[in-house]
Amino acid sequence: KRSGMAEEAKPQYPPSAMQPGTMSAIMSSGIPVGQQQAQTQQLQLPPEDVHAPAHLIAVGSVFELILEFLKECMQLGPLYSFSQPMWVLKTRLLYRRIQTFPAPRLQEVDESGNAVRRELQLQPITWRKIRRDEGALGLWSGWQARMCHQALRAGLAQTCFEVLLFMPWNDQWGILTKFLGAMTVATAVTHPLDVVQTRMAAGLPGYQGVGVYHGVMRVMRDNDAYQGLGRSLALGLLSAPVRFAWVRYPLSLAWMAAVYPLDRQSTLGRLQRTREDTEGEQAV
């Protein structure tokens, strides 16, 4: 009888009082998601957690951000270990297009004694050349900064989105707006790390053989921390349908091919400098 009375005394919350979690909020709003994401278990919070004090929500969000960051690092570390050489080669090929210093020239004299200048063609960028000039570790330039940037951006976007779910307007358009807003905030906050990892991969002078902290301090000192931010924000919003499987294969391949020019311009924007720095600048 006591167990029966306890079950009767247990409060029953109506479905409208439940606050959905991150993925269950998207699923309940009617926004299509991928098959793997659709299998995510729906999380529900009782009203006393929904109306928790703001300082408790803030403390919980900080711990959740740390856990999300560690989880993303564990997941992205092995992946970037294999893909970093390809990223380095791609970034250096793009950097070759915007090098500010002139192509080296050879001063020659013809038979009549007149000076003749002939341009010296730069060597093509290859993995072999990078390994010969910088050693084997040169193929993994910027690996730490890239992993920190991606993990922090993903964790910050997740945390911001879950905090925004505690606010009103959780219908289909409200959740979509909050989701895109969280991605925008995370991209803007972590953009200096994106600039650092791109310049490390490109082998820019001043970014070779330094740590992530010194790279961030350098872009802050040079006022380059938010170079190409607008293009990166646009790229993040346009690639969200593919990243979260709202667009299915094979349409996703055509989608990413269509946004690749913006990806290229975003990378070039992060490589641009607000002031000339010709000291020690060498051909890649």
Side-chain angles (χ1 to χ4, degrees), residues 225-243:
Y226 290 96
Q227 284 288 93
L229 176 59
R231 298 169 185 173
S232 296
L233 292 176
L235 179 64
L237 295 178
L238 291 178
S239 60
V242 175
R243 180 176 301 175

Side-chain angles (χ1 to χ4, degrees), residues 128-168:
R128 180 178 299 178
K129 181 180 183 302
I130 297 174
R131 186 175 66 250
R132 184 180 66 249
D133 296 343
E134 306 175 25
L137 293 180
L139 298 174
W140 279 268
S141 300
W143 175 82
Q144 301 92 334
R146 185 185 180 196
M147 186 181 64
C148 290
H149 167 252
Q150 295 292 340
L152 184 59
R153 185 179 67 170
L156 186 59
Q158 179 86 2
T159 303
C160 290
F161 180 62
E162 293 188 355
V163 171
L164 291 175
L165 287 178
F166 284 90
M167 302 179 182

Side-chain angles (χ1 to χ4, degrees), residues 144-196:
Q144 301 92 334
R146 185 185 180 196
M147 186 181 64
C148 290
H149 167 252
Q150 295 292 340
L152 184 59
R153 185 179 67 170
L156 186 59
Q158 179 86 2
T159 303
C160 290
F161 180 62
E162 293 188 355
V163 171
L164 291 175
L165 287 178
F166 284 90
M167 302 179 182
W169 192 33
N170 284 334
D171 57 0
Q172 178 176 354
W173 292 107
I175 290 178
L176 180 60
T177 302
K178 292 177 180 180
F179 182 75
L180 296 179
M183 288 187 57
T184 302
V185 171
T187 302
V189 171
T190 60
H191 189 73
L193 274 174
D194 197 7
V195 175
V196 171

